[in-house]
Amino acid sequence: MATFEEKAERLKKELEEAANGSQRRNLSREYELTLRLLRIIRGEVFTLDDINECRLEIMREYPEYGRPITAESGILLAAEAIRKSFGRKYYLPLYKYPIRIDFGTPNGRICVVHPSNFIEYDKNGQEE
């Protein structure tokens, strides 16, 4: 079974070789999802811009995401938007790794949302 890193490399090559059209759009979408999943696995931090990109992808299906997500919207809503942006793909890895979120607050704390939706905080990316 190929790792997600290998899958991303394969998709990148296929995308470079793909003709324009629906095949390219499908490959591009799959490549973006794979890169997003790798960010979660690697423990990279999602910003409000990243979260709102996910929100834009899902708002047609989930009307409650019609408004931009902010720090006041809630931590779980932000993590849920990221997870829902995958559709039904990658269900198991999504619920195996925590999602790290930086709301850009002055205190510099990073929210870590575990698969169980337990929330803890890091300061400047370092666990307390």
Side-chain angles (χ1 to χ4, degrees):
M1 184 171 145
T3 66
F4 289 110
E5 288 89 0
E6 292 168 341
K7 181 176 182 177
E9 285 299 317
R10 180 183 51 79
L11 287 168
K12 183 178 179 181
K13 288 178 186 174
E14 289 178 18
L15 190 56
E16 290 169 355
E17 297 169 0
N20 288 335
S22 63
Q23 178 190 16
R24 184 168 180 80
R25 279 192 303 277
N26 291 339
L27 284 171
S28 178
R29 171 72 177 145
E30 186 65 25
Y31 180 60
E32 292 300 319
L33 288 177
T34 304
L35 292 179
R36 190 176 301 154
L37 182 62
L38 282 171
R39 288 183 64 195
I40 292 170
I41 291 170
R42 292 175 181 153
E44 295 178 21
V45 177
F46 285 78
T47 65
L48 282 175
D49 289 339
D50 298 324
I51 294 163
N52 276 307
E53 184 179 308
C54 294
R55 179 190 65 81
L56 290 172
E57 291 176 21
I58 64 172
M59 62 187 245
R60 282 186 215 85
E61 189 174 343
Y62 301 98
E64 64 268 27
Y65 292 96
R67 288 185 282 155
I69 295 174
T70 64
E72 291 77 34
S73 301
I75 298 166
L76 292 179
L77 183 70
E80 185 178 86
I82 293 168
R83 289 180 183 134
K84 284 184 177 179
S85 72
F86 286 90
R88 299 194 193 290
K89 287 190 138 300
Y90 306 121
Y91 181 82
L92 292 176
L94 279 175
Y95 289 95
K96 184 177 180 183
Y97 299 95
I99 296 174
R100 299 168 51 84
I101 300 172
D102 181 359
F103 285 104
T105 57
N107 63 12
R109 288 172 53 164
I110 304 296
C111 303
V112 181
V113 182
H114 291 273
S116 66
N117 284 336
F118 172 76
I119 301 168
E120 66 180 333
Y121 300 92
D122 290 356
K123 184 166 179 72
N124 297 323
Q126 301 296 318
E127 288 191 27
E128 295 180 335

